[in-house]
């Protein structure tokens, strides 16, 4: 067992509630199922973080899916304070049994103790900072910044372990690895960015037709213009572009993206890699719109259009 996992096993003994952050764009791939075993017998709250970057409709579906599995769930943008009251209320709700048990035993005002867990870069430190209302935890993923056990007292009801638990994603599944790479959860220098971008294009044209066309004005003819440079958007033209996008191979779309963003080398040769980096950057920062790359299986089998 890894040191991090052993540490988490120890920490979990001290708490009532596991607050698990997942990335709303890939709620399955950004989980490590070990946490279900580690956190059994504990109250469980899943925060669908970076919900601001994910498809609103799918956020709702994922929320329902996790709730069905017995988790409490809140959609979240961890950088904003506006969901924190809802999270506080949900924490109390999730630990209702413990509060009731304490009350029956005559124990008063024993705070709920919680710990935050999640894969690197999912937003754990951001959440702790926002939730605690001050710079209580350092942002960035440097595990073990704090040596001793420190608790952040949020109010009279809730205390948070100040060091989040790091879970490692399941890289062994290639599709999981690819989705983690899309959202920027892996070191880009070890990835084949060109292939990654072609896979992303294939996924988007299939699942979000028009998303690429809308940003880069992809056209069947091979011509392309950068929409962000145009003053007025023409809906009819956009629809036409979306349907044109359909007939093109991913590499042809990447070529058009390159042309529209002037990713051309001095000899006139297309710089696919530059276009790939640009595309991934646009995707990761939400400039292609709110997109989710995984659908709950239950909805797939029921004919949900993923
Ligand atoms: P970690 O502790 O789990 O490793 O993650 P951390 O909080 O360091 O967050 C990783 C990045 O994700 C940060 O961006 C952070 O601002 C961003 N982030 C966290 N939560 C949300 C969210 O709900 N929505 C969006 N859109 N972004 C979120 P960064 O660019 O790496 O750092 P920074 O320059 O913003 O500090």
């Amino acid at each position: 067992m890894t040191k991090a996992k052993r540490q988490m096993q120890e920490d979990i003994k001290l708490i009532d509630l596991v607050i698990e952050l997942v990335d709303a764009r890939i709620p399955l791939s950004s989980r490590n199922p070990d946490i279900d075993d580690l956190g059994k017998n504990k109250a469980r709250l899943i925060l669908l973080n970076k919900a601001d970057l994910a498809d609103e409709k799918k956020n709702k579906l994922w929320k329902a899916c996790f709730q069905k599995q017995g988790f409490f769930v809140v959609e979240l943008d961890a950088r904003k304070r506006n969901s924190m009251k809802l999270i506080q209320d949900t924490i109390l709700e999730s630990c209702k049994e413990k509060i009731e048990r304490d009350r029956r035993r005559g124990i008063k005002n024993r705070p709920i103790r919680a710990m935050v867990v999640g894969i690197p870069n999912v937003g754990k430190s951001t959440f702790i900072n926002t939730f605690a209302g001050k710079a209580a935890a350092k942002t960035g993923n440097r595990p073990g910044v704090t040596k001793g056990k420190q608790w952040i007292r949020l109010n009279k009801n809730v205390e948070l372990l100040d060091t989040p638990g790091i879970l490692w994603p399941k890289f062994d599944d290639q599709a999981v690895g690819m989705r983690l790479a899309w959202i920027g959860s892996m070191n880009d220098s070890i990835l084949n960015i060109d292939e990654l971008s072609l896979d992303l294009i294939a996924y988007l044209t299939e699942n979000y037709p028009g998303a690429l066309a809308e940003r880069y004005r992809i056209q069947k003819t091979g011509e392309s213009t950068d929409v962000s440079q145009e003053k007025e958007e023409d809906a009819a033209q956009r629809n036409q572009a979306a349907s044109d996008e359909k007939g093109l191979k991913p590499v042809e779309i990447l070529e058009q993206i390159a042309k529209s963003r002037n990713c051309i080398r001095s000899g006139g040769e297309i710089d696919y890699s530059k276009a790939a980096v640009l595309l991934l950057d646009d995707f990761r920062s939400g400039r292609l719109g709110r997109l989710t790359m995984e659908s709950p299986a239950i909805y797939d089998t029921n004919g949900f259009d993923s």
Side-chain angles (χ1 to χ4, degrees), residues 49-50 52-53 76-79 119-126 140-141:
N49 196 38
K50 308 199 186 184
D52 56 298
L53 296 173
L76 182 67
D77 174 348
R79 299 164 308 166
I119 65 168
N121 215 36
V122 73
K124 299 178 294 300
S125 307
T126 307
N141 36 4

Side-chain angles (χ1 to χ4, degrees), residues 37-200:
D37 194 35
L38 285 165
K40 63 174 186 280
N41 306 325
K42 302 288 173 186
R44 302 290 303 278
L45 168 60
I46 287 188
L47 300 179
L48 278 175
N49 196 38
K50 308 199 186 184
D52 56 298
L53 296 173
D55 183 329
E56 281 174 281
K57 214 167 74 185
K58 292 203 181 167
N59 286 345
K60 302 276 171 286
L61 296 179
W62 274 112
K63 184 175 175 183
C65 175
F66 283 127
Q67 281 174 330
K68 217 169 165 183
Q69 294 170 44
F71 297 101
F72 287 81
V73 187
V74 175
E75 293 169 39
L76 182 67
D77 174 348
R79 299 164 308 166
K80 306 227 166 95
R81 284 201 57 78
N82 53 3
S83 299
M84 299 304 152
K85 170 81 173 73
L86 175 62
I87 292 175
Q88 295 239 20
D89 293 347
T90 311
I91 288 177
L92 293 183
E93 174 72 16
S94 71
C95 292
K96 224 159 79 184
E97 279 176 27
K98 174 203 131 40
I99 296 167
E100 190 49 34
R101 213 167 41 238
D102 278 0
R103 201 186 57 79
R104 278 200 307 269
R105 291 174 180 161
I107 304 168
K108 278 195 197 131
N109 300 332
R110 185 156 65 104
I112 291 159
R113 288 194 145 180
M115 94 180 266
V116 172
V117 304
I119 65 168
N121 215 36
V122 73
K124 299 178 294 300
S125 307
T126 307
F127 168 68
I128 294 175
N129 283 344
T130 309
F131 198 40
K134 56 180 191 260
K138 290 207 159 62
T139 42
N141 36 4
R142 290 190 302 275
V145 173
T146 315
K147 295 254 164 51
K149 289 276 154 294
Q150 286 194 357
W151 297 89
I152 304 165
R153 185 149 200 157
L154 298 168
N155 53 40
K156 68 177 174 40
N157 297 318
V158 185
E159 283 183 4
L160 205 61
L161 193 61
D162 80 334
T163 317
I166 317 269
L167 297 167
W168 295 101
K170 294 271 176 205
F171 295 117
D172 30 335
D173 180 334
Q174 218 181 333
V176 169
M178 181 176 72
R179 291 176 197 138
L180 286 162
W182 282 345
I183 66 162
S185 250
M186 286 164 86
N187 185 347
D188 277 352
S189 64
I190 59 163
L191 299 166
N192 183 332
I193 296 293
D194 294 9
E195 262 181 39
L196 201 62
S197 73
L198 292 175
D199 288 335
L200 179 65

